[in-house]
Amino acid sequence: MQLGMVGLGRMGGNIVRRLLRAGHRAVVYDHNPAAVAALVEAGATGAASLEDFVSRLDLPRAVWVMLPAGAPTEDTVNGLAALMQAGDVVIDGGNSFYKDDIRRAAHLREKGLHYVDVGTSGGVWGLERGYCMMIGGAKEAVDRLDPIFATLAPGLGDVPRTPGREGRDPRAEQGYIHAGPSGAGHFVKMIHNGIEYGLMQAYAEGFDILRHANSPDLPEAQRFELDLGDIAEVWRRGSVVSSWLLDLTAAALAGDEHLDAFTGHVADSGEGRWTLNAAIEEAVPAHVLAAALFARYRSRETASFADKLLSAMRKGFGGHQEPK
């Protein structure tokens, strides 16, 4: 199947590479000609402008936009809408606000275009591991794109099957779901990222307590000089708190036990705030997620070891660099 990709950054470029490896065809465009050239070398068809890009796609077209949320995505979707025709599909795979998806879908629907929002998790490891996807949009459009989603998804892998799922949608076991109508995909991904904030904060605070177990404020008999790298490693193997985030923690501590390469300035990319806004609108308490978001704000004033560990995890799964 053919897919067009606009935005060839950390995730967009690797999504294209994963599709090419499986025999799909891709047309690519990015403001950076070097990014386009790298994908052309990998087998994609490059385009020099958005108009050129659209002209190289087979009908009905399928275009995936992988750009930062807000104006870059908004402007690109509007630009594509002016160039595409009825029956074509625009996919937003970034971290857009779900209410923007609902508005965009209604606008494109007036032109006969489909709009599909894909909450995409996998970070810089998605090329090899695959991408967990939460998809919103009309069934017709999502079903048409299924060969793309099936290729990008991780598949069953070695994750044990859940008893009692017989007769349910098999796509969830493969690592992707059709969550509902437009906006539903990014809504689910938004909550996913809010939970991620809480999990990361729990690990960071726990390891910070372990690190201070030899504090001179403690009685001498209660002081412990603990190897955090070994603790992270042993917890990875059979512990109930094992996870991919713990894997990244173990890797970070193995390479730099004191995390001296990090300042501990922890950014938030929007989804944590949006998650709390949704909780407020729904009158649902979210104590842990709120505390995790506010901890990131505090990190920009005085960084702790916990903040450095958060930065290390963010770099591990998403390639996120600390602000300068």
Side-chain angles (χ1 to χ4, degrees):
M1 186 173 182
Q2 186 196 60
L3 180 76
M5 177 66 74
V6 180
L8 306 176
R10 288 191 300 258
M11 291 185 68
N14 280 347
I15 285 173
V16 171
R17 290 183 177 89
R18 187 170 173 91
L19 292 172
L20 291 173
R21 288 181 180 181
H24 293 283
R25 297 176 295 124
V27 179
V28 298
Y29 172 67
D30 192 283
H31 288 306
N32 180 4
V36 175
L39 268 300
V40 169
E41 187 175 345
T45 299
S49 67
L50 206 59
E51 293 78 7
D52 181 36
F53 169 78
V54 171
S55 72
R56 292 175 181 272
L57 292 166
D58 300 335
L59 295 173
R61 303 177 182 92
V63 175
W64 187 305
V65 178
M66 203 65 173
L67 295 170
T73 294
E74 187 78 20
D75 294 345
T76 302
V77 170
N78 288 336
L80 288 167
L83 297 169
M84 297 169 74
Q85 63 190 59
D88 292 348
V89 182
V90 176
I91 307 159
D92 177 9
N95 280 326
S96 288
F97 185 40
Y98 76 97
K99 292 182 181 179
D100 289 336
D101 292 316
I102 295 170
R103 172 179 51 79
R104 290 180 194 140
H107 174 64
L108 266 62
R109 198 177 301 120
E110 294 175 356
K111 301 174 177 290
L113 302 173
H114 294 288
Y115 180 91
V116 174
D117 53 289
V118 181
T120 311
S121 182
V124 296
W125 298 91
L127 175 60
E128 303 301 334
R129 291 171 59 111
Y131 299 90
C132 173
M133 292 168 290
M134 298 134 271
I135 305 162
K139 184 177 185 301
E140 170 193 347
V142 174
D143 287 351
R144 186 205 306 175
L145 295 166
D146 191 73
I148 296 294
F149 299 138
T151 297
L152 294 176
L156 279 172
D158 58 1
V159 178
R161 305 188 79 159
T162 302
R165 281 197 55 85
E166 295 77 13
R168 303 185 61 143
D169 189 339
R171 291 175 293 186
E173 286 188 319
Q174 299 296 322
Y176 68 110
I177 59 168
H178 182 193
S182 297
H186 276 148
F187 183 84
V188 175
K189 178 57 163 50
M190 176 183 76
I191 305 305
H192 165 283
N193 284 22
I195 293 170
E196 181 182 287
Y197 278 39
L199 292 172
M200 292 172 69
Q201 189 65 31
Y203 282 126
E205 292 179 7
F207 276 92
D208 208 9
I209 296 169
L210 291 170
R211 181 173 180 268
H212 287 88
N214 64 344
S215 169
D217 296 331
L218 295 169
E220 188 171 354
Q222 296 176 24
R223 298 177 197 170
F224 307 111
E225 190 72 38
L226 301 173
D227 188 316
L228 303 191
D230 282 356
I231 292 170
E233 186 64 30
V234 75
W235 282 357
R236 291 180 60 213
R237 303 179 183 280
S239 163
V240 296
V241 298
S242 61
S243 73
W244 185 26
L245 289 172
L246 186 59
D247 295 346
L248 298 172
T249 297
L253 291 171
D256 180 6
E257 181 180 355
H258 300 291
L259 302 180
D260 291 330
F262 298 93
T263 66
H265 181 124
V266 185
D268 69 286
S269 52
E271 297 91 338
R273 304 184 191 200
W274 300 339
T275 297
L276 291 186
N277 288 338
I280 291 168
E281 291 175 355
E282 299 169 7
V284 173
H287 310 291
V288 172
L289 306 191
L293 177 62
F294 294 147
R296 295 196 176 198
Y297 297 163
R298 188 211 50 74
S299 78
R300 298 162 205 176
E301 298 174 358
T302 305
S304 67
F305 182 81
D307 299 325
K308 292 182 179 183
L309 193 55
L310 285 171
S311 285
M313 283 187 273
R314 292 182 83 246
K315 183 179 180 182
F317 70 74
H320 302 290
Q321 302 296 324
E322 291 180 327
K324 300 298 184 183

